[in-house]
Amino acid sequence: MFSRLPQLSQIRGFEAAARLGSFKAAGEELNISPTAISHQISNLEDKLGVLLFERKTRSVSLTQEGHRLAQAAHQALKQLTTAVEEMSDTQSVLRVSTTASFAAMWLIPSLSRFQNKHPEIKTEIITSEEVIDINRDRRVDLAIRYGCHDENNKNKTVLINESFSAYATEDYLDRLKDLKDAVFIETKWKNKNLPSVALSHYLQKINKDISAPRICSFDQEHHVIQAALAGQGIAFVSSVLADMALQKGWLKPLDESFSLPGLTYSLLVSPFSEGLRKVAVFKEWIAEELSKYPSKHIENRMRST
């Protein structure tokens, strides 16, 4: 029945090249050379008697037959992956992509609770300022994204809508005789597509008239929090990321009665990992963990309106 099927290695090489649109990228993903990918695909084309790719000087594109085979190969490999994951006795590896700040200030400190519940799953955290294309990159099972909520994107699961407030050490606040003398620490995001959450607006809302506040900025939110923990000033930052420092008593809010609405943390699942148990249990866990936060953030936002 299966005697006419090509070798699995050829199907894997073809599927990767079709998805990534590049023999070189496919080779990098599968840890073989672009030449080896090219040979695999040429042998596959010879066996099938059709061209699967149109070769151009610096790119390749799928033919009509290539598109048809790519869809079938993707589904077949996905089903095989799911079956192997479910049957294997070895520890599953869950790869999560997120921002460096969310990883440092929330995910990694919380991850032991997931590991205690699911010791059979090893978790790898991948941080990068460049957005990984989760529809093409098979190295990632889940991506936690930060930005504006998009109601039209049905593939995203909203985890939490954060708020922004100001925090400092108790010692810093006790030593501060006049807020005009304070140093405010804020984030200047590398991603220029992210809308800013204005410190000036926050100060106006808490009725602190500081015409020219002294401001220090970093391009990572966890650096902002670390600077505040070191007693260097008042951090204007996400309440989600500051939560652990607040729980430990390391930071105190400047004003507990008000916070500004911030951005949204959302979760996306790779199409290659949908249906896998390791993905399902992580989604359930992180949703449960973050469900502890919205009530107090929403309460603050309601008081501010």
Side-chain angles (χ1 to χ4, degrees):
M1 180 177 178
F2 302 119
S3 59
R4 296 188 61 193
L5 285 178
Q7 297 176 8
L8 182 58
S9 60
Q10 293 176 351
I11 294 295
R12 289 185 67 208
F14 164 73
E15 190 277 336
R19 171 167 39 85
L20 299 171
S22 163
F23 291 179
K24 180 180 178 182
E28 290 174 353
E29 180 177 291
L30 298 176
N31 293 316
I32 58 178
S33 69
T35 302
I37 291 288
S38 179
H39 284 320
Q40 287 181 352
I41 292 172
S42 294
N43 291 335
L44 182 58
E45 288 174 327
D46 290 342
K47 182 175 181 64
L48 298 176
V50 296
L51 281 178
L52 299 173
F53 284 97
E54 291 182 5
R55 277 79 164 171
K56 301 175 183 177
T57 305
R58 295 190 177 180
S59 64
V60 292
S61 60
L62 288 168
T63 63
Q64 184 176 353
E65 292 80 5
H67 277 291
R68 182 180 176 185
L69 184 60
Q71 292 175 357
H74 172 74
Q75 291 301 320
L77 290 173
K78 181 179 175 182
Q79 290 177 5
L80 277 172
T81 300
T82 302
V84 169
E85 286 274 355
E86 292 175 349
M87 296 169 59
S88 177
D89 290 332
T90 59
Q91 189 178 39
S92 294
V93 179
L94 178 73
R95 295 175 176 86
V96 181
S97 168
T98 189
T99 65
S101 292
F102 186 76
M105 301 310 301
W106 190 90
L107 183 55
I108 291 174
S110 304
L111 204 56
S112 62
R113 295 192 288 275
F114 177 75
Q115 300 291 182
N116 289 338
K117 289 182 71 173
H118 301 284
E120 76 282 4
I121 300 174
K122 177 184 177 182
T123 308
E124 293 183 1
I125 308 300
I126 302 168
T127 60
S128 174
E129 295 307 311
E130 295 182 4
V131 177
I132 292 176
D133 187 346
I134 201 167
N135 293 312
R136 300 175 65 192
D137 196 329
R138 296 191 68 167
R139 295 173 300 170
V140 173
D141 297 298
L142 295 162
I144 299 170
R145 296 278 167 78
Y146 180 66
C148 297
H149 175 46
D150 182 3
E151 294 182 354
N152 297 320
N153 191 335
K154 304 303 181 183
N155 295 323
K156 281 187 178 181
T157 300
V158 173
L159 294 174
I160 188 169
N161 296 306
E162 67 175 4
S163 62
F164 264 66
S165 196
Y167 309 97
T169 62
E170 187 172 8
D171 178 67
Y172 186 88
L173 294 176
D174 288 344
R175 289 188 287 107
L176 191 64
K177 294 182 171 53
D178 190 327
L179 198 58
K180 292 181 180 179
D181 297 326
V183 174
F184 289 92
I185 314 166
E186 64 177 5
T187 309
K188 294 293 185 183
W189 287 310
K190 290 181 180 179
N191 185 351
K192 301 306 180 183
N193 294 322
L194 291 176
S196 63
V197 183
L199 170 63
S200 59
H201 183 49
Y202 173 82
L203 292 174
Q204 290 172 5
K205 288 294 184 180
I206 62 172
N207 296 317
K208 303 296 182 182
D209 183 18
I210 305 176
S211 57
R214 296 166 60 195
I215 296 176
C216 173
S217 62
F218 296 93
D219 61 12
Q220 297 283 354
E221 287 177 294
H222 60 288
H223 295 161
V224 172
I225 295 173
Q226 290 298 328
L229 288 170
Q232 296 176 13
I234 301 173
F236 181 62
V237 72
S238 164
S239 51
V240 174
L241 300 186
D243 188 76
M244 183 181 69
L246 292 169
Q247 287 188 34
K248 298 289 187 181
W250 301 336
L251 294 178
K252 302 290 183 182
L254 177 64
D255 187 326
E256 291 189 82
S257 66
F258 179 78
S259 60
L260 285 180
L263 304 181
T264 299
Y265 286 95
S266 302
L267 185 143
L268 292 91
V269 178
S270 165
F272 310 101
S273 302
E274 287 177 340
L276 297 181
R277 178 183 174 275
K278 63 182 180 182
V279 169
V281 295
F282 185 86
K283 284 181 65 178
E284 180 181 356
W285 170 79
I286 196 170
E288 180 182 347
E289 288 287 320
L290 288 172
S291 68
K292 303 169 185 176
Y293 296 88
S295 58
K296 61 184 179 183
H297 300 329
I298 290 171
E299 183 183 358
N300 280 343
R301 288 201 293 272
M302 289 175 64
R303 281 204 296 264
S304 70
T305 58

